[in-house]
């Protein structure tokens, strides 16, 4: 691959008569990082904030885009001419598809491109190359050559849970374009609102687009609170066409999602006859998974196909997304019409019934020249012949589909769910749960190692999803999307083996991309500037370090003893300084620290180191914790930081096994007193308290004596253990299944633990 890139680089250079040696390889301001970039410290200066553009070979719509962006984001005026100019355009042949180059000389900038899309990509890189100093705008002399890695570079937006206006959707698309995303997955229907006009079924928007109440606060908070206000909205077909055309001008393809058979309560509120029970219910104001889904009888299939008849002509994209996720089979089990379909078609069970349902859509869409795409549940009961799979419950669904020779878009929730928390900071706004910091997004590679070279060809690319249960404003939508979308764009545009490492990416973000996003007034998250507390075990207990975005950051740290209610220390700490907390002396205490302001970014974080004597004890896990919820790994249960309630995605250690076993080494034999174990109950997130905990003690790790078994509560306290032990073994028996009638019924629940506190003499 390196060879190929180099040879195209040489072709571009030869075609532009460029002498490479005058430039050096250097960090490029542009994100996603171009395939090649060399530059010098000399500059092309944009004098008088005016740029002359030669419109020859510049497609008209791209010209308008360039002029508008220069004006709005930079206040740079343009003079457009036909025969001269400081910026000139050249179509190129014999270069890779979607490739472009930018050659910046002292008096002229030449943009070469292979097709209109790559001309547009070049313009977006060009905008990011523009820098400002005290004198004015400039671009470093240099040469940039670039093309994308993946064909599907997507962002999704859920407009059902919260409605976004046409202008807001266009703004979301505008920002996507800056980072060369090319696929906008428009989640148009869900339980809480139907958002697309369907002329044959007007009640879908008359009734289905509106709800009378909306949950406020988190779903897991009891008692739940609601705002009792009628809210909603929908897009007319003319508005949809307008958005699609707008996106097309930005080389972004719009994929509509019409959810089926689940997440259909809004449609069924309007047309209850297509449910199994026929009972009329309103549009829900609460989130979750509902038992009432479309009935699989032929009338429903016909209803949905008629809807697709109106959807298809609005979207030139080859794909139509039909959802397919989270469809409980509760109603289908007892519905005579569904059971009749099972019997008449020789289907084994309700999973095959769902597959049969989806296959009918696949046949229909294929006949109309479209390709069906669905969430990875469409694998269950057998994958429909032409289906493309969007893998969201991790990568396994995508791997399986690729092995079956189906195309795949990777959107695993561990890397691509931008509705998850991006930091554990005190001021982090409410989110659904999960923990996805910028650094983790940066590690996303859409191509799983397990696949052969042939199977890898089925990975079309990847996408991040913006589910909006807890995102009700554009401001918050920007916050959740940026800068994580920049990290994602690196995973989708760049060759994974060539993209800069995370530290370099972070530097580019701080130096070039923050000012760029500021030009567009984007409310991006500054979570990376808040100090993170790094904890490492040491002989006496723990060593704490505070790390910010820059190695030079320093923090003013005030330690406050909660028992004595007074400050015990105030120090300025640099990134490499550490604060040692000893098991014997330092507890309990709460540590608060403030972050030294950087670029006007400042914030106070409150960290509590709460537990006492067992900090830093080595733990061996016989049962592995799930990598999705493994913040601080082996240290998590003894890092002194107790998991917070309500859960914020970080800190807790998550398991999905029936039996969870681990052993704590107390370093020497000690007289045990009390033991406490913290568990999380957040049933809406499928996190349940386990059934029992049992303790065993040993002095040699070979012969164990059993202590009593206890039923689990959120703080499971073993009082007056009064045993001598060097080792403590903990065995947790988790709940087998989520109870009937609850979210996720029948599935294995999560067990979340934090922390183990061991008191001894
Ligand atoms: C999904 O997040 N339910 C696709
Ligand atoms: Zn039914």
């Amino acid at each position: 691959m390196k060879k190929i890139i180099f040879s195209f680089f040489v072709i571009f250079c030869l075609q532009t008569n460029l002498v490479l040696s005058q430039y050096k390889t250097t960090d490029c301001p542009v994100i996603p990082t171009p395939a090649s970039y060399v530059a010098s410290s000399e500059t092309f200066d944009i004098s008088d904030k005016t740029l002359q553009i030669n419109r020859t070979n510049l497609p008209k719509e791209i010209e308008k885009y360039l002029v508008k962006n220069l004006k709005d984001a930079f206040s740079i005026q343009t003079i457009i001419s036909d025969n001269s100019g400081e910026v000139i355009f050249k179509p190129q042949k014999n270069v890779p598809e979607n490739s472009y180059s930018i050659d910046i000389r002292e008096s002229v900038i030449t943009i070469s491109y292979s097709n209109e899309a790559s001309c547009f990509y070049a313009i977006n890189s060009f905008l990011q190359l523009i820098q400002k100093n005290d004198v004015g705008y400039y671009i470093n002399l240099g040469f940039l050559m670039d093309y994308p890695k993946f064909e599907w570079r997507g962002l999704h937006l859920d407009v059902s849970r919260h409605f976004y206006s046409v202008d807001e959707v266009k703004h979301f698309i505008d920002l996507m374009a800056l980072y060369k995303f090319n696929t906008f997955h428009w989640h148009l229907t869900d339980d809480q609102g139907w958002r697309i006009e369907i002329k044959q079924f007007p009640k879908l928007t008359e009734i289905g687009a509106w709800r009378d109440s909306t949950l406020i606060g988190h779903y897991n908070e009891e008692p739940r609170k609601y705002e009792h206000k009628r809210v909603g909205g929908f897009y007319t077909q003319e508005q949809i066409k307008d958005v699609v055309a707008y996106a097309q001008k930005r080389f972004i393809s719009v994929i509509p999602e019409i959810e089926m058979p689940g997440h259909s309560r809004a449609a069924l509120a309007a047309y209850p006859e297509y449910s199994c029970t026929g009972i009329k219910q309103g549009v829900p104001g609460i989130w979750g998974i509902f038992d009432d889904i479309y009935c699989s009888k032929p009338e429903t299939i016909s209803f949905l196909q008629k809807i697709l008849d109106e959807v298809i002509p609005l979207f030139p994209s080859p794909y139509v997304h039909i959802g397919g996720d989270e469809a409980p089979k509760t109603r289908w089990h007892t519905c005579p019409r569904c059971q009749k379909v099972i019997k008449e078609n020789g289907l084994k069970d309700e999973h095959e019934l769902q597959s049969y349902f989806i296959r009918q859509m696949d046949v229909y869409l294929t006949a109309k020249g479209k390709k069906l795409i669905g969430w990875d549940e469409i694998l269950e009961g057998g994958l429909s012949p032409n289906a493309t799979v969007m893998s969201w419950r991790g990568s396994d669904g995508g791997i399986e589909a690729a092995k079956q020779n189906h195309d795949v878009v990777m959107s695993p929730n561990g890397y691509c769910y931008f509705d998850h928390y991006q930091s554990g900071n005190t001021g982090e706004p409410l989110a659904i749960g999960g923990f996805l910091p910028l650094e983790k997004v940066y590690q996303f590679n859409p191509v799983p190692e397990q696949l052969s070279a042939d199977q890898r060809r089925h990975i079309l690319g990847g996408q991040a999803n913006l589910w909006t249960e807890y995102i009700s404003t554009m401001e918050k939508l920007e916050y959740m999307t940026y800068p994580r979308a920049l990290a994602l764009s690196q995973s989708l545009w760049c060759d994974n083996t060539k993209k800069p490492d995370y530290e370099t990416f972070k530097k580019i973000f701080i130096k070039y991309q923050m000012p760029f996003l500021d030009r567009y007034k984007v409310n991006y998250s500054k979570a990376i500037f808040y100090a993170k507390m790094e904890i490492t075990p040491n002989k006496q207990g723990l060593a704490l370090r505070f790390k910010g975005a820059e190695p030079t950051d320093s923090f003013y740290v005030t330690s406050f003893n909660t028992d004595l209610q007074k400050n015990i220390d105030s120090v300025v700490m640099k990134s490499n300084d550490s604060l040692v907390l000893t098991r014997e002396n330092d507890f309990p205490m709460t540590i608060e620290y403030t972050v030294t302001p950087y670029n006007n970014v400042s914030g106070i974080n409150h960290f509590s180191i709460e537990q006492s004597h067992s900090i830093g004890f080595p733990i061996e896990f016989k049962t592995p914790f799930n990598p999705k919820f493994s913040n601080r790994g082996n240290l998590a249960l003894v890092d002194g930081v107790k998991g917070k309630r309500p859960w914020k995605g970080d800190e807790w250690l998550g398991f999905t096994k029936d039996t969870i076993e681990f052993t704590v080494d107390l370093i020497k034999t000690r007289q045990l007193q009390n033991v406490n174990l913290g568990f999380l109950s957040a049933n809406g997130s499928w996190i349940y308290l386990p059934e029992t905990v049992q303790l065993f003690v040993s002095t040699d790790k070979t012969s164990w004596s059993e202590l009593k078994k206890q039923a689990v509560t959120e703080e499971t306290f073993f009082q007056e253990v009064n045993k001598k032990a060097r080792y403590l073994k903990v065995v947790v028996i988790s709940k087998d299944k989520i109870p009937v009638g609850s979210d996720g019924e029948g599935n294995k629940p999560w067990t979340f633990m934090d922390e183990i506190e061991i008191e001894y003499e």
Side-chain angles (χ1 to χ4, degrees):
M1 192 55 170
K2 265 188 188 149
K3 246 192 213 155
I4 299 173
I5 291 171
F6 186 71
S7 45
F8 285 126
F9 191 51
V10 170
I11 292 171
F12 271 114
C13 296
L14 290 174
Q15 284 171 346
T16 51
N17 301 319
L18 186 74
V19 184
L20 279 175
S21 58
Q22 59 190 321
Y23 301 135
K24 283 206 197 72
T25 303
T26 178
D27 289 343
C28 184
V30 177
I31 296 289
T33 301
S36 305
Y37 177 68
V38 285
S40 84
S41 55
E42 290 173 59
T43 58
F44 168 97
D45 297 317
I46 301 176
S47 347
D48 298 331
K49 288 174 107 183
T50 304
L51 200 55
Q52 276 189 19
I53 309 235
N54 184 333
R55 66 150 63 108
T56 310
N57 294 321
L58 174 59
K60 189 74 201 156
E61 285 300 332
I62 302 179
E63 176 193 316
K64 280 197 226 161
Y65 178 87
L66 173 61
V67 169
K68 182 168 168 41
N69 276 268
L70 285 171
K71 179 161 171 287
D72 292 353
F74 296 86
S75 302
I76 294 176
Q77 300 303 318
T78 38
I79 300 168
I80 306 290
S81 73
D82 284 314
N83 32 34
S84 62
E86 296 162 297
V87 185
I88 62 171
F89 292 84
K90 278 193 186 166
Q92 293 277 49
K93 291 207 173 69
N94 305 323
V95 289
E97 201 190 343
N98 292 322
S99 66
Y100 69 91
S101 70
I102 308 178
D103 179 7
I104 307 125
R105 311 276 178 106
E106 222 168 280
S107 55
V108 66
I109 296 175
T110 308
I111 294 182
S112 308
Y113 60 87
S114 63
N115 55 17
E116 289 201 7
S118 64
C119 180
F120 184 72
Y121 299 147
I123 293 301
N124 285 295
S125 291
F126 174 74
L127 293 170
Q128 294 186 20
L129 286 171
I130 301 171
Q131 307 302 320
K132 193 166 193 263
N133 60 18
D134 294 344
V135 185
Y137 289 112
Y138 67 92
I139 300 177
N140 283 90
L141 304 192
F143 186 74
L144 183 159
M145 193 280 293
D146 199 13
Y147 56 90
K149 165 94 177 170
F150 290 103
E151 70 186 75
W152 188 299
R153 304 183 302 277
L155 288 184
H156 146 291
L157 178 62
D158 164 12
V159 292
S160 172
R161 274 54 179 267
H162 282 100
F163 182 66
Y164 287 86
S165 70
V166 166
D167 283 347
E168 287 172 323
V169 171
K170 285 181 176 174
H171 176 67
F172 189 77
I173 288 170
D174 276 339
L175 297 182
M176 286 176 68
L178 294 173
Y179 294 98
K180 304 189 179 77
F181 287 97
N182 68 350
T183 307
F184 173 54
H185 173 170
W186 206 358
H187 185 78
L188 286 162
T189 74
D190 212 301
D191 297 304
Q192 294 78 10
W194 182 280
R195 305 297 182 208
I196 173 170
E197 177 192 28
I198 302 294
K199 295 187 198 279
Q200 295 171 84
F201 303 109
K203 286 191 283 184
L204 283 171
T205 43
E206 283 165 17
I207 296 173
W210 305 92
R211 60 179 187 249
D212 292 328
S213 67
T214 300
L215 184 78
I216 48 176
H218 200 280
Y219 181 94
N220 289 336
E221 283 166 30
E222 302 275 0
R224 296 199 178 110
K225 294 187 281 302
Y226 293 86
E227 185 178 30
H228 293 281
K229 186 173 134 198
R230 189 167 159 79
V231 291
F234 66 93
Y235 312 105
T236 65
Q237 293 193 358
E238 284 311 305
Q239 287 174 319
I240 298 260
K241 282 189 217 162
D242 177 38
V243 170
V244 169
Y246 189 85
Q248 233 168 3
K249 286 178 190 163
R250 284 149 186 78
F251 299 86
I252 291 173
S253 167
V254 184
I255 316 288
E257 181 176 352
I258 307 296
E259 268 267 18
M260 60 188 83
H263 289 294
S264 44
R265 281 280 305 272
L268 295 175
Y271 295 96
E273 58 269 39
Y274 300 117
S275 68
C276 289
T277 64
I279 296 168
K280 189 168 170 59
Q281 300 181 80
V283 177
I286 188 170
W287 330 122
I289 298 173
F290 298 92
D291 283 341
D292 287 293
I293 65 173
Y294 290 120
C295 179
S296 54
K297 61 195 172 194
E299 298 92 303
T300 314
I301 303 297
S302 161
F303 166 69
L304 289 167
Q305 289 175 342
K306 284 180 191 157
I307 289 173
L308 292 178
D309 283 344
E310 292 195 33
V311 171
I312 288 167
L314 301 174
F315 296 90
S317 142
Y319 292 94
V320 174
H321 202 299
I322 53 74
D325 61 319
E326 300 179 324
K329 307 300 182 292
T330 321
R331 296 285 179 259
W332 288 7
H333 278 302
T334 53
C335 168
R337 296 299 307 276
C338 287
Q339 293 303 318
K340 186 163 173 254
V341 179
I342 290 183
K343 201 155 163 229
E344 284 178 357
N345 293 281
L347 306 173
K348 200 169 83 209
D349 56 16
E350 286 74 17
H351 291 298
E352 287 202 356
L353 179 58
Q354 165 145 339
S355 171
Y356 177 70
F357 190 118
I358 303 292
R359 231 175 309 141
Q360 291 173 87
M361 297 303 151
D362 186 9
V363 169
Y364 198 76
L365 288 170
T366 304
K368 306 236 162 204
K370 293 287 180 183
K371 295 190 208 178
L372 176 146
I373 181 165
W375 301 110
D376 57 59
E377 285 93 331
I378 65 171
L379 279 149
E380 292 161 10
L383 197 48
S384 190
N386 306 308
T388 297
V389 170
M390 187 168 271
S391 191
W392 74 279
R393 296 176 300 177
S395 299
D396 290 353
I399 292 168
E400 180 54 35
K403 286 185 174 167
Q404 292 182 29
N405 286 325
H406 285 254
D407 284 347
V408 171
V409 175
M410 280 296 187
S411 189
N413 50 8
Y415 295 90
C416 295
Y417 268 45
F418 287 3
D419 55 339
H420 292 184
Y421 283 102
Q422 50 199 314
S423 87
N425 291 337
T426 319
E428 204 61 54
L430 185 70
I432 195 163
F435 188 57
L436 182 59
L438 186 66
E439 186 165 6
K440 178 127 190 249
V441 180
Y442 204 74
Q443 290 156 8
F444 174 52
N445 178 1
V447 183
E449 305 240 304
Q450 297 92 318
L451 296 182
S452 68
D454 259 5
Q455 292 160 348
R456 285 173 188 210
R457 277 194 263 281
H458 287 296
I459 308 294
L460 304 179
Q463 168 180 301
N465 299 330
L466 274 305
W467 301 104
T468 58
E469 286 95 332
Y470 299 93
I471 308 175
S472 57
T473 64
M474 197 65 216
E475 197 187 0
K476 187 162 174 189
L477 183 62
E478 288 182 354
Y479 180 88
M480 299 305 277
T481 311
Y482 294 91
R484 290 188 286 194
L486 274 68
L488 179 73
S489 78
Q490 294 283 90
S491 303
L492 301 178
W493 180 275
C494 310
D495 183 335
N496 203 49
T497 59
K498 284 198 71 190
K499 73 177 184 191
D501 61 20
Y502 176 68
E503 288 304 317
T504 308
F505 166 74
K506 213 165 61 179
K507 264 195 256 162
I508 294 169
F509 171 64
I510 293 167
K511 185 166 174 195
Y512 300 110
Q513 289 294 327
M514 282 178 47
F516 185 72
L517 287 167
D518 286 339
R519 295 196 175 285
Y520 286 86
K521 302 186 173 53
V522 178
N523 180 41
Y524 54 90
S525 164
K526 297 176 181 77
I528 58 163
F529 292 102
Y530 290 78
K532 280 202 243 11
M533 183 163 63
E534 281 191 0
I535 304 180
T536 43
N538 77 1
K539 273 198 194 125
Q540 300 148 287
L542 299 174
L544 307 187
R545 280 201 184 94
F546 301 104
K547 288 239 153 113
E550 302 269 35
T552 49
D553 284 353
S554 56
F555 313 102
Y556 183 66
V557 180
T558 304
S559 315
F560 179 76
N561 186 315
T562 50
D563 268 10
L564 306 175
Q565 286 290 303
K566 70 170 195 188
N567 282 355
I568 50 170
D569 208 358
S570 287
V571 285
V572 174
M573 287 178 65
K574 295 210 167 60
S575 281
N576 287 328
D577 299 342
S578 59
L579 191 69
V580 174
L581 302 178
T582 57
R583 274 188 285 274
E584 321 297 337
N585 304 322
D586 290 348
F587 290 97
M589 65 192 272
T590 300
I591 298 165
E592 293 184 3
Y593 63 91
T594 54
V595 182
T596 307
Y598 175 84
N599 272 4
N600 299 322
V601 180
S602 65
I604 300 173
N605 273 19
H606 300 264
F607 282 88
S608 303
I609 300 280
E610 291 172 47
Q611 77 128 326
S612 53
H613 306 293
S614 44
I615 51 162
F617 279 162
I619 298 194
E620 267 176 39
F621 286 92
K622 186 165 174 206
T623 313
F625 39 80
N626 191 294
K628 260 194 217 162
F629 299 106
S630 59
N631 197 29
R632 295 219 182 97
N634 274 12
L635 192 62
L637 299 187
V638 285
D639 62 359
V641 184
K642 293 181 73 164
K644 290 182 240 11
R645 300 183 183 93
W647 171 53
K648 268 207 165 178
D650 59 345
E651 202 50 53
W652 294 88
L653 210 50
F655 298 84
T656 47
K657 302 287 184 223
D658 294 335
T659 305
I660 300 155
E661 186 179 319
F662 62 90
T663 306
V664 186
D665 179 355
L666 313 180
I667 300 179
K668 62 182 186 194
T669 301
R670 302 172 192 267
Q671 177 72 22
L672 290 186
Q673 290 176 324
N674 305 317
V675 177
N676 189 68
L677 255 163
F679 293 94
L680 182 65
S681 172
N683 297 351
S685 306
W686 300 18
I687 302 165
Y688 276 76
L689 293 182
E691 304 281 353
T692 59
V693 189
Q694 189 163 21
L695 300 184
F696 299 79
V697 288
S698 168
T699 49
D700 56 8
K701 222 176 162 189
T702 310
S703 63
W704 293 93
S705 60
E706 200 175 312
L707 303 178
K708 68 176 175 181
K709 200 185 253 188
Q710 280 191 199
V712 173
T713 57
E714 291 209 64
E715 297 294 336
T716 305
F717 190 56
F718 290 82
Q719 199 170 8
E720 292 176 15
V721 168
N722 293 338
K723 290 271 181 216
K724 265 201 165 9
R726 159 85 194 256
Y727 300 97
L728 179 75
K729 182 155 77 185
V730 179
V731 178
V732 177
I733 307 296
S734 68
K735 226 185 203 41
D736 186 29
K737 280 185 179 159
I738 295 178
V740 174
S742 306
D743 289 327
E745 70 174 56
N747 285 289
K748 179 82 201 158
W750 285 92
T751 299
F752 271 38
M753 243 189 268
D754 199 36
E755 154 143 338
I756 185 162
E757 296 164 82
I758 305 167
E759 288 174 43
Y760 48 83
E761 272 177 9

